[in-house]
Amino acid sequence: MSHRAHLFSLRIGHALRESCFVEPYTGMRFRKDLLAGLTVGIIAIPLAMALAIASGVAPQYGLYTAAIAGFVIALTGGSRFSISGPTAAFVVILYPITQKYGLSGLLLASVMAGAMLVVMALFRLGRLIEYIPEPVTLGFTGGIGVVIATLQIKDFLGLPIATMPEHYVEKIGLLAQSIGHTHWPSVIVALFTLAIMLLWPRLKTPVPAHLPAVIAGSLVALVLNDAGLGVDTIYSRFSYIAADGSTAQGIPPILPSLEWPWLQPDANGNTLAISWGLVRDLLPAAFAIAMLGAIESLLCAVVLDGMTGKRHSANSELLGQGIGNLIAPFFGGITATAAIARSAANFKAGAESPVAGMIHALVVVLGLVSFAPLLGYLPMPAMAALLMVVAWNMSEAPKSVHLLKTTQLSDILVFLCCFSLTVLFDMVIAITAGIVLAAILFMKEIADMTRVVEITQNKQYVQADVPENCRVFKITGPLFFAAADKIFGELTRYCERDKTIILYLDNVTMLDAGGLSALTKLIAHCEKVGAQLTLTDLQFQPLKTLTKANIKPIEGVFRLYPRLDHALQPLTNALPSITCFL
């Protein structure tokens, strides 16, 4: 199937069909998928828990997400190597929802976002990533990285802060006020974990750095807790209601059960009352989740295409992401999308098909059921250090620095706009403002490229002598609304002193409604001052626009000719007048 066909195709399970049914699926390929799935599943367990905590919910909900959404998206999606689950990019959106509406509001917003992703797939919007400028992407990912890192300072330093404020400036103020209560045993655990995260890659082993780092941090925390120094862990921070009705510490060693998302506890511990007002309040957040999920999943698929030489189906991937986010919240799963780091690790581990993604999900389930008591020993400072490294990696700071050093001023302005708005406000405002600003600056640059030059005495174009009261102009570039008013405005002053104005338009590729309106004003001005306007050498699109608008020649005012020499012949008396071609 061609790359273009892949972009526009829409099938449930496209990647699974292509890799397991169109291509022969052998026992050797399954063994590779099994090994890759085991590897990525082990990687995903601490990450899923850390990202759930960063989103404001208990760690088991991150495991539910990696298990349910990870399996469903691999089964139904369009990218054969993508691994889906909770990701760091969503933290800045999900955390405020959790603070205000609790788990039930977060799950309901995820369902709404899943429905939006399905609609986007049905309308074949999989190519939307091509219309997101790189300064916008780097701006909001950098801003997300800063916000995530800021949120981890509390646990990194062991600060006694129950909840963080909603706005970034208030967060910084509270952290500054609490810095005097730094818990140094927590800092020791965090720094030890961070050091291993940074030094481990130098060993060039296939084991990812965060696994030994988290294990080592857990051992240090265990020693410190035995000495009575009180390092916070998942076991001490989180609790759940056991089957017998008692309260147990840590995470429940049971499979997620089917439950309506709105029956989960809200921010006050009650069930959520569904209403149109609630849906309306959650709609902007759900839209932000859907847009970010689409961008992240398609970016991940494009990166994997470059690594593997394979081709994903963008619309099928959106469909799979939508189905996964529709189903997972009914089992306690929060928002999921493709994770670039885990997906790259999946491919490097030898994955052959989406079967590896499904095995990864089963490994997460096995870890939840079999090792829940051990997972409770994971220290919160170690998880904070892990997320700080994740935030740094996702921010793509080296690419941002390169952009600031090498690109033009307009791209720098777009980047800074998206970055600052993401940090200070939210991602919806940042992306919207960034795209609008990028579009305006792009239109300005294109409009500046549209020029008008007088060629009356240029023998390359005008080989015959023309009367003194005639001027010939060559216009180069698109005549759209941002350029046409300026160009035709410049020409009006010539109409008042010259009897004939000829516009040579062989390099005008486009004439839009704004350009047509400006041209109509110029024709009316010529009629008012008694001048004659002539257009020659029109390309197909401008000619089609004039025909559709029913713009016809006006005797003594407006003429159209197929070629410049034809337009000049009646003026030079070299030949009889040529009939206009429109």
Side-chain angles (χ1 to χ4, degrees), residues 272-348:
L272 201 64
I274 298 294
S275 67
W276 169 244
L278 175 64
V279 172
R280 183 181 58 205
D281 290 343
L282 289 174
L283 196 58
F287 178 74
I289 292 171
M291 286 299 299
L292 182 57
I295 293 170
E296 283 283 300
S297 61
L298 296 180
L299 268 176
C300 180
V302 169
V303 170
L304 290 171
D305 285 354
M307 294 173 61
T308 65
K310 302 294 184 180
R311 287 291 178 265
H312 72 284
S313 168
N315 294 308
S316 297
E317 179 65 5
L318 286 184
L319 182 62
Q321 294 290 336
I323 294 172
N325 281 285
L326 276 172
I327 293 175
F330 288 88
F331 294 88
I334 61 176
T335 307
T337 191
I340 294 178
R342 274 164 275 170
S343 300
N346 180 46
F347 169 70
K348 292 176 181 177

Side-chain angles (χ1 to χ4, degrees), residues 264-456:
Q264 299 279 7
D266 64 9
N268 298 317
N270 305 313
T271 56
L272 201 64
I274 298 294
S275 67
W276 169 244
L278 175 64
V279 172
R280 183 181 58 205
D281 290 343
L282 289 174
L283 196 58
F287 178 74
I289 292 171
M291 286 299 299
L292 182 57
I295 293 170
E296 283 283 300
S297 61
L298 296 180
L299 268 176
C300 180
V302 169
V303 170
L304 290 171
D305 285 354
M307 294 173 61
T308 65
K310 302 294 184 180
R311 287 291 178 265
H312 72 284
S313 168
N315 294 308
S316 297
E317 179 65 5
L318 286 184
L319 182 62
Q321 294 290 336
I323 294 172
N325 281 285
L326 276 172
I327 293 175
F330 288 88
F331 294 88
I334 61 176
T335 307
T337 191
I340 294 178
R342 274 164 275 170
S343 300
N346 180 46
F347 169 70
K348 292 176 181 177
E352 290 280 329
S353 74
V355 172
M358 291 185 274
I359 292 173
H360 131 272
L362 297 177
V363 171
V364 173
V365 172
L366 181 63
L368 171 65
V369 174
S370 303
F371 302 107
L374 290 177
L375 295 176
Y377 287 104
L378 293 177
M380 300 306 298
M383 304 293 267
L386 169 62
L387 285 181
M388 281 190 169
V389 175
V390 170
W392 169 261
N393 291 334
M394 75 157 295
S395 70
E396 297 191 281
K399 289 182 68 174
S400 298
V401 172
H402 181 264
L403 181 138
L404 292 173
K405 288 182 177 180
T406 60
T407 194
Q408 57 191 354
L409 179 61
S410 60
D411 288 336
I412 294 174
L413 290 175
V414 171
F415 169 82
L416 294 176
C417 172
C418 283
F419 179 85
S420 58
L421 290 177
T422 300
V423 172
L424 296 175
F425 297 100
D426 63 56
M427 207 190 68
V428 179
I429 296 174
I431 293 180
T432 303
I435 291 176
V436 170
L437 180 59
I440 291 173
L441 293 174
F442 174 75
M443 287 186 291
K444 180 183 181 302
E445 292 175 4
I446 296 299
D448 290 342
M449 293 171 61
T450 303
R451 302 178 182 275
V452 57
V453 179
E454 184 177 355
I455 58 172
T456 307

Side-chain angles (χ1 to χ4, degrees), residues 62 78 89 92-93 204 211 361 365 415 424 429 433 457 504 518 533 546 557 564 567 579:
V92 294
I93 305 175
K204 307 294 184 182
L211 288 180
V365 172
F415 169 82
L424 296 175
I429 296 174
Q457 304 301 323
Y504 180 52
L533 179 67
L546 292 175
V557 178
L564 179 59
T579 304

